[in-house]
Amino acid sequence: MIYSRIAGTGHYAPEKVLTNADLEKIVDTSDEWIRTRSGIERRHIAEDNQTTTDLAEQACRAAMESAGVGPADIDFIVVGTTTPDLVFPNVGCLLQNRLGIHGCPAFSVETACSGFIYGLSIADKFIRSGEAKCALVVGAETLSRIVDWTDRATCVLFGDGAGAVVLKPDTEAGILSTHLRADGRYHELLTARSGVSVQPAGDALRDGYNVRMAGGEIFKVAVKSMGSIAEEALVANNIDKSEIDWIVPHQANIRIIQALSKRVDVSMDKVVLTLQEFGNTSAASIPMALDVAVRDGRIRRGQLLMFATFGGGLTWGSALLRY
Ligand code: UT7
């Protein structure tokens, strides 16, 4: 039996930091409100000339170095992003060129905050089938470009960043399972309507361009969907929750994560949190948190990890794996 296994991890956060105190000068908010309602203290923001591919490149270089692989080894690239540099070429291709890799499949998946888990699931299947031997799976975002900096309900939540893993085949697990879900009935709860095919005119374009969110409703759906998809993963693998060493959840809101921890009955000291530093970086949030906890020594080889995510679409998913 062939499994895919994470051989290396990397992340990159832009140098520019925007604190809650900085946001107090931009919108009618307070450090206290942001901390208590979301858990976020800072977020990193890309420079004007830094694109999603720039961020992804740094994360990939770090992941490749930690896996001990070079450009010639990579034969599959998938990038979860909802803020691509361009309509096309996709970020996978731009990244491939930047890293000096040529010829292998390279593409993006556009499932908002679930992009990394969707990408991980796809790459896992390519590795298991033998069609890929060394995959780069990336989550990268420049959300600051689509955030409405006049809307206090959303602009305080998001940040920019990238995370990446190198996946390789192994006879020992590895990724035990991935579960993906989507339900388009809820598409209006979380949107960024800057369209290509949809082209609202004039003020409607400005008005509808940026991130819009029904925060309270999303909150409820997030807790429910992440909880059920995490439980589904445990049942599918006949693994008890007590065996989980770390949950690495999508970093949207500390209260959502606390509710998830309660629901799956895994204590908060087994949950990796990076939202205080990075905010919600959408598809990048899980691989960034993973890399932080690997590099600071919390996550060690052989430990059992649960990833759980949700995002616009709505989309949600989980992965259960041995690191
Ligand atoms: O990756 C997926 C992306 N989406 C999410 O993760 C979002 C999920 N939802 C959430 O995280 C939370 O719903 C929020 C953090 C967005 C909001 O927290 P909440 O506890 O649901 O607050 P609320 O929206 O019910 O707003 C409470 C109050 C309102 O004032 P009134 O009507 O009670 O007077 C808001 O206008 O807080 C006000 N408010 C703010 N006040 C200060 C909303 N945003 C802010 C702000 N600063 N930034």
Side-chain angles (χ1 to χ4, degrees):
M1 176 97 170
I2 295 182
Y3 295 93
S4 70
R5 189 166 197 140
I6 294 178
T9 63
H11 86 275
Y12 175 78
E15 278 176 30
K16 188 159 109 190
V17 170
L18 192 67
T19 64
N20 291 349
D22 295 330
L23 280 166
E24 287 176 355
K25 295 173 202 142
I26 302 174
V27 286
D28 179 16
T29 191
S30 65
D31 173 49
E32 206 262 332
W33 192 95
I34 303 171
R35 273 177 204 258
T36 52
R37 304 314 293 166
S38 75
I40 297 165
E41 297 169 20
R42 284 174 289 283
R43 66 287 295 142
H44 293 240
I45 304 292
E47 296 293 343
D48 289 348
N49 63 355
Q50 261 183 323
T51 67
T52 295
T53 300
D54 294 324
L55 274 45
E57 179 188 353
Q58 300 300 328
C60 288
R61 289 194 187 281
M64 288 164 68
E65 192 183 339
S66 83
V69 301
D73 299 308
I74 304 293
D75 61 3
F76 188 88
I77 299 173
V78 54
V79 184
T81 186
T82 199
T83 46
D85 297 29
L86 305 166
V87 173
F88 64 87
N90 73 72
V91 174
C93 290
L94 299 175
L95 185 61
Q96 188 203 48
N97 183 51
R98 200 70 76 71
L99 294 170
I101 303 165
H102 303 288
C104 73
F107 59 97
S108 314
V109 290
E110 192 198 339
T111 49
C113 303
S114 307
F116 175 76
I117 298 297
Y118 268 65
L120 190 72
S121 180
I122 297 165
D124 174 54
K125 283 156 186 77
F126 271 78
I127 299 261
R128 280 174 187 248
S129 73
E131 226 177 295
K133 295 270 182 269
C134 189
L136 260 179
V137 185
V138 190
E141 303 280 12
T142 45
L143 291 164
S144 60
R145 302 282 157 70
I146 59 166
V147 161
D148 178 349
W149 291 103
T150 66
D151 177 19
R152 69 176 184 172
T154 51
C155 75
V156 302
L157 302 175
F158 297 100
D160 300 335
V165 303
V166 172
L167 271 193
K168 289 175 77 173
D170 203 311
T171 47
E172 281 177 44
I175 294 180
L176 297 164
S177 68
T178 57
H179 287 81
L180 306 180
R181 295 284 182 277
D183 195 336
R185 271 182 303 183
Y186 303 109
H187 68 276
E188 285 185 343
L189 294 185
L190 182 51
T191 58
R193 296 183 58 84
S194 52
V196 177
S197 185
V198 173
Q199 296 241 311
D203 288 347
L205 175 62
R206 262 204 72 72
D207 200 36
Y209 186 83
N210 299 103
V211 174
R212 287 282 178 272
M213 183 172 71
E217 282 172 78
I218 286 279
F219 192 105
K220 282 180 241 151
V221 183
V223 174
K224 211 169 130 200
S225 57
M226 283 210 291
S228 67
I229 205 85
E231 281 161 358
E232 204 174 329
L234 290 170
V235 170
N237 291 285
N238 198 20
I239 284 179
D240 189 76
K241 57 186 185 294
S242 61
E243 294 178 51
I244 294 177
D245 291 298
W246 293 104
I247 296 183
V248 187
H250 174 46
Q251 308 280 316
N253 184 315
I254 184 77
R255 293 180 298 131
I256 292 176
I257 295 172
Q258 285 163 341
L260 172 71
S261 131
K262 202 167 162 197
R263 170 152 179 179
V264 296
D265 195 17
V266 174
S267 71
M268 281 299 286
D269 42 299
K270 289 184 169 183
V271 177
V272 178
L273 290 176
T274 51
L275 84 177
Q276 66 281 10
E277 178 63 35
F278 301 134
N280 179 350
T281 57
S282 186
S285 83
I286 288 178
M288 289 178 86
L290 172 69
D291 186 51
V292 166
V294 165
R295 283 177 196 263
D296 70 20
R298 271 177 292 172
I299 292 181
R300 297 191 304 276
R301 284 286 168 204
Q303 288 187 326
L304 187 69
L305 312 185
M306 171 74 79
F307 300 162
T309 191
F310 75 98
L314 293 179
T315 57
W316 62 103
S318 67
L320 189 66
L321 60 140
R322 291 226 168 260
Y323 179 65

